[in-house]
Amino acid sequence: MKNNFETKSVTVTALFSVAIALFYFIGFLLDGFDRYNVIEFLAIWFNLSMFTLTFLFITRKIIIRGISQMLFFLAFQLYAWIAFLLLLSIDVHQLWFGWLDRHFERNLLFMINVIPFRTLVTQFSGFPSAYYATHQIIGNIIVLAPLCFFLLYFNRVKKRCPFLVIFLYSLSIEVLQFLSDLLFFQARAMDIDDVILNTSGAALGILAYVFYLGLAALCRRFVRKESISH
């Protein structure tokens, strides 16, 4: 049976963001109206607005064809929202603490690391721990792998340069993290080691995409044989 379902990515993105906003709004109503909850809710709206604009930029001009593509698109958008909350969202508590604490000081030497592998060597040498460093490495490698797969799947990046694209996205994230700490006291840093690990994680996205292509070709071959036999 032929699937004629087709829609623009903008529509799906908008519906997802509205659903997320309603989810938080219902939670806000259940918690009650007080100053703390209002500030939290406004922060969520701000973060959701920034996320939606960023996601629209990444997914612009994508045409979603078929229910399976739409489900995959929604799953990726959910992943992207969680990643945004972890990496780039503005924490109101940190912002409030930074504004009120007159003795709050920051050292640019700790906010920026441009020496490759210095952070990793420091962590594995015992601070804070090799266990923590291992988790940091694994997390930084896999965090942008789904983005690489997504861009390849929807032909948003040429197959010859996914590493360059992921490198640019990772570098942008690190710069924004630095700015969020500098301007909004978010206790984040810009680290070249994160960029290196994020970029190397693109290999996982490429491998997943190659595996998907092979599996799809195998399924098509199987369906073709079944149709011929019948």
Side-chain angles (χ1 to χ4, degrees):
M1 184 177 178
K2 187 176 180 180
N3 192 341
N4 294 318
F5 176 84
E6 184 176 299
T7 187
K8 294 181 179 180
S9 61
V10 175
T11 303
V12 181
T13 301
L15 290 175
F16 177 89
S17 296
V18 169
I20 292 293
L22 288 175
F23 172 80
Y24 282 106
F25 182 68
I26 292 173
F28 168 69
L29 292 178
L30 293 176
D31 287 340
F33 293 85
D34 58 53
R35 184 173 61 180
Y36 174 81
N37 285 339
V38 170
I39 294 175
E40 280 287 325
F41 184 69
L42 291 176
I44 288 294
W45 268 92
F46 175 80
N47 287 319
L48 184 59
S49 299
M50 293 301 100
F51 164 77
T52 303
L53 292 175
T54 304
F55 196 79
L56 285 173
F57 172 78
I58 295 174
T59 62
R60 66 190 187 281
K61 298 181 181 180
I62 288 180
I63 301 298
I64 301 172
R65 297 180 175 88
I67 301 298
S68 60
Q69 280 197 1
M70 187 184 72
L71 293 176
F72 171 71
F73 188 92
L74 286 172
F76 175 79
Q77 192 170 359
L78 179 60
Y79 141 80
W81 170 240
I82 295 173
F84 180 89
L85 290 177
L86 293 174
L87 299 174
L88 294 173
S89 64
I90 301 300
D91 188 336
V92 177
H93 303 99
Q94 288 291 117
L95 180 60
W96 190 257
F97 174 77
W99 279 346
L100 292 182
D101 189 352
R102 297 181 179 179
H103 303 288
F104 191 90
E105 296 181 357
R106 289 167 295 180
N107 190 334
L108 287 178
L109 294 177
F110 293 101
M111 293 169 62
I112 301 177
N113 170 40
V114 295
I115 302 176
F117 306 112
R118 185 178 74 173
T119 301
L120 294 177
V121 171
T122 301
Q123 289 178 344
F124 274 109
S125 64
F127 178 79
S129 70
Y131 178 80
Y132 174 80
T134 302
H135 279 71
Q136 284 287 95
I137 291 173
I138 295 175
N140 281 314
I141 287 177
I142 66 176
V143 67
L144 293 187
L147 173 61
C148 183
F149 180 91
F150 178 87
L151 295 174
L152 289 169
Y153 180 83
F154 282 106
N155 297 316
R156 293 296 298 151
V157 60
K158 295 181 180 179
K159 295 179 176 59
R160 296 180 180 179
C161 57
F163 284 101
L164 176 60
V165 172
I166 296 301
F167 169 79
L168 293 175
Y169 273 116
S170 177
L171 184 61
S172 300
I173 290 172
E174 292 300 314
V175 171
L176 289 173
Q177 285 184 331
F178 169 74
L179 292 176
S180 70
D181 188 21
L182 187 65
L183 300 175
F184 304 113
F185 308 95
Q186 293 302 295
R188 295 182 177 127
M190 178 179 176
D191 197 328
I192 191 63
D193 287 0
D194 291 346
V195 177
I196 294 172
L197 293 172
N198 292 160
T199 305
S200 63
L204 293 178
I206 295 172
L207 288 175
Y209 181 68
V210 171
F211 177 78
Y212 160 77
L213 291 179
L215 185 62
L218 186 64
C219 291
R220 285 194 298 269
R221 190 179 307 170
F222 176 78
V223 171
R224 191 180 301 115
K225 287 182 178 180
E226 286 292 316
S227 61
I228 293 175
S229 63
H230 287 81

